[in-house]
Amino acid sequence: SQKIEQNSEALNIQEGKTATLTCNYTNYSPAYLQWYRQDPGRGPVFLLLIRENEKEKRKERLKVTFDTTLKQSLFHITASQPADSATYLCARGVAGTYKYIFGTGTRLKVLA
Amino acid sequence: DAGVIQSPRHEVTEMGQEVTLRCKPISGHNSLFWYRQTMMRGLELLIYFNNNVPIDDSGMPEDRFSAKMPNASFSTLKIQPSEPRDSAVYFCASTLGEATEAFFGQGTRLTVV
């Protein structure tokens, strides 16, 4: 199946450290991947999009990489803050359609 | 624009009753999506529309679920009859096209007792 997988276990890190979240895919090559943030009781909010021909994309303290050999995207938050605590979702686009398929998300907790 | 607007925010209903969830997408967006989120299954795509036309409803769990988009500014997701296993948070999202960011509503938390 063409799933997109994220580590379902919560990630706890100390404030100021770099948080790294993983998104893996198998049996296909997505044209692009997106990352979203979701806070409790709210809908997901878009953060970054990276295309298959891009190795890396940055936005302020956020960095996303796309490794088509490893079939993996990494999402980094540098100098993490307690306010970064949330669930982060990875999504893939389905070629030739408009639909996005989401992973189950990874809950990040940044400890003060 | 106020973003994607969903109503109601919370819905509690008895098993067997009809439930209708509503969504107003962002003006100018041409794709609309209905998702369901649970702890066990995460965010599942139920159906999506492009230019008000249903394109893919393969995620709709069964015939009890139906969705309509009568015009570019309004969509409904109906469950009839509702069952306890339909309890979840239902999200509506809209986009401007392929490979663009999806804007989500606040969701409707449905509880079927």
Side-chain angles (χ1 to χ4, degrees):
Chain A
S1 65
Q2 298 185 342
K3 285 186 177 179
I4 192 158
E5 296 178 346
Q6 297 183 255
N7 189 345
S8 59
E9 292 184 15
L11 177 65
N12 293 336
I13 65 165
Q14 209 62 41
E15 183 177 10
K17 300 292 186 184
T18 296
T20 298
L21 308 178
T22 305
C23 177
N24 295 300
Y25 57 92
T26 56
N27 301 327
Y28 63 95
S29 296
Y32 58 90
L33 291 169
Q34 300 182 350
W35 285 87
Y36 288 76
R37 168 182 174 144
Q38 186 174 25
D39 291 287
R42 305 184 75 88
V45 175
F46 172 80
L47 296 174
L48 284 166
L49 180 151
I50 185 166
R51 298 181 185 275
E52 62 178 339
N53 61 350
E54 297 175 316
K55 295 292 186 187
E56 182 179 297
K57 186 77 75 76
R58 290 177 184 263
K59 178 182 176 183
E60 297 173 353
R61 294 185 295 112
L62 309 180
K63 184 177 84 171
V64 174
T65 62
F66 196 167
D67 189 326
T68 54
T69 301
L70 293 178
K71 294 187 181 296
Q72 182 179 79
S73 174
L74 298 180
F75 176 80
H76 306 272
I77 306 175
T78 58
S80 60
Q81 305 166 0
D84 295 326
S85 299
T87 296
Y88 291 86
L89 300 161
C90 173
R92 69 172 180 98
V94 179
T97 77
Y98 293 90
K99 62 182 188 181
Y100 304 152
I101 306 298
F102 282 81
T104 52
T106 300
R107 193 165 69 247
L108 171 69
K109 187 169 184 179
V110 181
L111 306 170
Chain B
D1 202 313
V4 176
I5 299 173
Q6 291 186 246
S7 64
R9 287 296 311 276
H10 302 273
E11 177 80 42
V12 180
T13 190
E14 291 186 346
M15 183 174 65
Q17 295 298 306
E18 176 181 297
V19 175
T20 299
L21 311 182
R22 296 172 175 79
C23 175
K24 181 180 186 310
I26 291 175
S27 176
H29 282 192
N30 55 14
S31 296
L32 181 141
F33 306 80
W34 282 101
Y35 287 90
R36 177 173 68 177
Q37 188 173 41
T38 60
M39 287 293 291
M40 291 296 295
R41 301 174 68 90
L43 201 59
E44 301 175 278
L45 178 63
L46 301 177
I47 184 171
Y48 84 94
F49 296 82
N50 186 244
N51 293 323
N52 313 339
V53 176
I55 303 299
D56 185 342
D57 65 356
S58 59
M60 297 285 258
E62 46 199 274
D63 291 347
R64 297 185 297 106
F65 286 69
S66 63
K68 293 181 179 179
M69 191 165 186
N71 57 61
S73 59
F74 184 65
S75 177
T76 59
L77 177 68
K78 185 178 294 186
I79 308 172
Q80 165 65 13
S82 57
E83 297 182 4
R85 60 193 167 121
D86 301 331
S87 297
V89 181
Y90 290 80
F91 286 103
C92 175
S94 68
T95 71
L96 203 49
E98 189 177 0
T100 61
E101 67 177 281
F103 290 83
F104 283 79
Q106 296 278 54
T108 294
R109 180 174 294 277
L110 173 66
T111 303
V112 183
V113 298

